[in-house]
Amino acid sequence: MAGWSEKVLEIDLSTQTYKTYPLDMDMARLYIGGRGLGARLLWDLVGPGVDPLSPENVLIFTNGPLTGTGYQTSNRFSVTTKSPLTGTILDANSGGFWGMQFRKTGYDVMIVRGKSDKPVWIEIKNAAITFHDASDLWGMRVFALTEKLGQNNNKRNVLCIGPAGENLSRIAAIMNDRERALARGGPGAVMGSKNLKAIVVEGKDRPEIVDKDQFKFLLYEARKSLAQSPLTSQALPEFGTVVLMNIMNNVGALATRNHQQTQFEGAEAISGEELTDNYLVRNASCWACPIGCTRISRTEKVEGEGPEFESTWAFGAQCGIADLPAIIEANALCNDLGLDTISVGSTIACAMELSEKNFMDSELRFGRADQLAPTIEAIATRSDIGADLADGSLRLATKYGHPELSMSSKGLEMPAYDPRGMQGQGLLYATSNRGGCHMRGNMVGPEVLGAPKLIDRFQVQGKSSFVILHQNTAAAIDSLVLCKFTNYGVAEEYFARVLSAVTGIKYSTGDMIKVGERVWNLERLYNLREGFTNKDDTLPPRLLNEAPTDGPSKGWVVQLEPMLKEYYRGRGWDENGIPTKKKLAELDLEVLL
């Protein structure tokens, strides 16, 4: 069937064997690909009680029906696993070129299970699977390893872990194409626990498209829409994602010094405008992306991709640091060591507050740019202070008796947007299935940017309906798998139409949103099965009880309880946040119980 290759590759590292079998096409039609298909497979493969860092956990790499077709941003892929950081279901997706190349090998899904006795790397070249000894590669950093294994953007693409993954840091990322990351929730540690250093792909299969004329028309229409959107045609190409720094600071929703303030006096010095004026070398793009938000930046010490807004914030405002060269270098160091920049920056900020309040004996202090690089090195190698920080802020703060100082939800460090200035964002963090995350349906569009339309960011009543719609839409886009930036210029209707053109199966906009809702509820069921309850749908006490004393968000805390009650009703869940039988039947999920 066009749209899917209809093949699953399953690799057992314990025996260094593999097998292939047909993809369940009924499952594919219900969950599409990417995040959705990964969640459905994880439900069957990894049950309760499995240690995320044990051989029984799996890594599920998935692409989608649009991957590699040439549709705008159809370069992405996803990995699904049980998170070693949070214990929740986890998926992360990444751009670049690896996802497109993986699709060309002829597989929709690659499941990696077991554990190798010694370090190994896998080469997938067209239909051939080869296991290579990686003993001499163990310990190598990402940039050198990527080059050694022959990275060639359009022909041969490298996915790997760095020292952080090898040392089982629970905030370790899987890196691809040198500087792209499957970052959140610690998938790099899962890969390290399996003694798997890298996966290299080369392919030649071209995805089939049923209605080529309609596909070309929609390709043209989407390009025109992206060119007409000021966000995708001007703001992102000109300033990258860091364009948000001054915007969030001006509205009083830029988390600062471990969320102790909501505005940063040094925001201008670390803004997208500053990056463009003084450190930008050139723009770059993922495969098949006309937006081009990637920034190649340079300091006296490093040159490479980034930093993105979240990374700049994590090492900047969150740590009270206004030194942009140091931030650029910290971002590059995390990429080279294979670390999640958001969790690393927020964990360092947590340690800074613990230390300043004498809860922890360390020299870390807000504003100390010189401490970033040595602390990041220590995290990746679990040495010195890094032994405490390598497993994230919640474990760190709990060890020192103050878990309330971890700015996380369900154990995942939250990104830059302080929800005291964005009520809907607070509800979104609290209910996110993988923990505090802005990629599960970011409310910055409607609450700050006016995309698609501006709503009152302090409004509480009625806010849950917007959050639910954005969560369902994000889950659908993640299942295609496309970049969410396209949704700033291209409506959901176009995603349904292009999926129909590629697969020959009629999908409406409502069908797409229903796929997203199905995926969201399945993820909820997975977490409930793992023992999570409605008590985990919450935020750090600081955000619920401590209002900013100045700025545009002065006097506001997150009004979570009324929004949460409304949210459960809107989801069709009971008062304890459990999906009802009626809702599960509506979504074809009742068969799982």
Side-chain angles (χ1 to χ4, degrees), residues 297-416:
S297 58
R298 179 168 56 206
T299 70
E300 291 180 358
K301 296 179 181 177
V302 300
E303 177 176 329
E305 288 190 8
E308 301 286 348
F309 168 59
E310 300 296 344
S311 307
T312 308
W313 159 80
F315 297 122
Q318 184 73 334
C319 291
I321 291 171
D323 184 333
L324 191 50
I327 293 168
I328 294 170
E329 290 156 12
N331 174 73
L333 186 56
C334 281
N335 288 342
D336 203 17
L337 295 168
L339 282 163
D340 172 9
T341 54
I342 296 176
S343 284
V344 169
S346 198
T347 300
I348 292 174
C350 179
M352 288 173 166
E353 184 173 358
L354 286 167
S355 302
E356 289 198 349
K357 292 182 173 175
N358 295 318
F359 299 142
M360 176 182 176
D361 183 16
S362 89
E363 299 297 321
L364 289 174
R365 295 292 183 272
F366 287 113
R368 288 285 302 276
D370 62 302
Q371 294 178 329
L372 285 178
T375 305
I376 293 168
E377 291 272 5
I379 290 172
T381 55
R382 285 188 177 275
S383 58
D384 304 323
I385 195 172
D388 277 349
L389 276 64
D391 290 327
S393 65
L394 183 57
R395 285 177 172 82
L396 171 74
T398 300
K399 176 180 178 178
Y400 288 97
H402 291 276
E404 74 278 6
L405 297 186
S406 166
M407 295 299 112
S408 62
S409 178
K410 296 186 180 74
L412 184 67
E413 289 75 17
M414 294 180 295

Side-chain angles (χ1 to χ4, degrees), residues 74-139:
S74 60
N75 53 72
R76 302 187 76 84
F77 69 105
S78 182
V79 68
T80 303
T81 189
K82 184 176 177 180
S83 169
L85 181 66
T86 65
T88 65
I89 189 170
L90 170 69
D91 87 281
N93 72 58
S94 178
F97 295 77
W98 194 92
M100 169 274 296
Q101 197 70 237
F102 172 47
R103 178 67 194 279
K104 289 170 68 176
T105 64
Y107 298 105
D108 302 298
V109 179
M110 173 170 53
I111 299 169
V112 181
R113 60 166 70 242
K115 177 182 180 180
S116 175
D117 288 337
K118 60 183 180 181
V120 64
W121 68 277
I122 299 169
E123 184 176 38
I124 305 173
K125 192 170 182 178
N126 300 320
I129 316 295
T130 308
F131 297 89
H132 298 275
D133 186 345
S135 298
D136 61 335
L137 306 180
W138 207 249

Side-chain angles (χ1 to χ4, degrees), residues 368-540:
R368 288 285 302 276
D370 62 302
Q371 294 178 329
L372 285 178
T375 305
I376 293 168
E377 291 272 5
I379 290 172
T381 55
R382 285 188 177 275
S383 58
D384 304 323
I385 195 172
D388 277 349
L389 276 64
D391 290 327
S393 65
L394 183 57
R395 285 177 172 82
L396 171 74
T398 300
K399 176 180 178 178
Y400 288 97
H402 291 276
E404 74 278 6
L405 297 186
S406 166
M407 295 299 112
S408 62
S409 178
K410 296 186 180 74
L412 184 67
E413 289 75 17
M414 294 180 295
Y417 315 97
D418 194 307
R420 288 168 292 190
M422 301 168 62
Q423 294 291 316
Q425 193 75 4
L427 178 62
L428 190 139
Y429 287 157
T431 56
S432 168
N433 290 322
R434 74 171 186 180
C437 171
H438 63 297
M439 298 305 291
R440 309 283 92 169
N442 200 348
M443 290 294 288
V444 69
E447 290 193 316
V448 176
L449 301 178
K453 65 177 182 178
L454 191 64
I455 61 175
D456 183 351
R457 61 195 175 96
F458 294 117
Q459 174 189 336
V460 173
Q461 189 175 15
K463 189 61 71 69
S464 66
S465 61
F466 292 96
V467 171
I468 290 170
L469 178 60
H470 276 70
Q471 288 175 333
N472 292 346
T473 303
I477 294 173
D478 285 343
S479 300
L480 283 173
V481 188
L482 295 176
C483 174
K484 294 188 183 71
F485 286 159
T486 56
N487 201 205
Y488 282 125
V490 179
E492 293 85 354
E493 175 200 352
Y494 281 86
F495 298 143
R497 291 171 67 188
V498 75
L499 181 61
S500 301
V502 169
T503 64
I505 301 172
K506 181 66 176 176
Y507 283 92
S508 66
T509 306
D511 293 333
M512 288 295 306
I513 301 302
K514 188 171 183 178
V515 168
E517 185 179 12
R518 180 179 297 120
V519 172
W520 192 271
N521 277 267
L522 173 58
E523 292 171 340
R524 180 75 175 186
L525 290 178
Y526 189 94
N527 287 346
L528 291 171
R529 193 174 71 175
E530 292 293 324
F532 288 85
T533 70
N534 58 336
K535 290 184 171 55
D536 297 297
D537 294 335
T538 191
L539 296 169

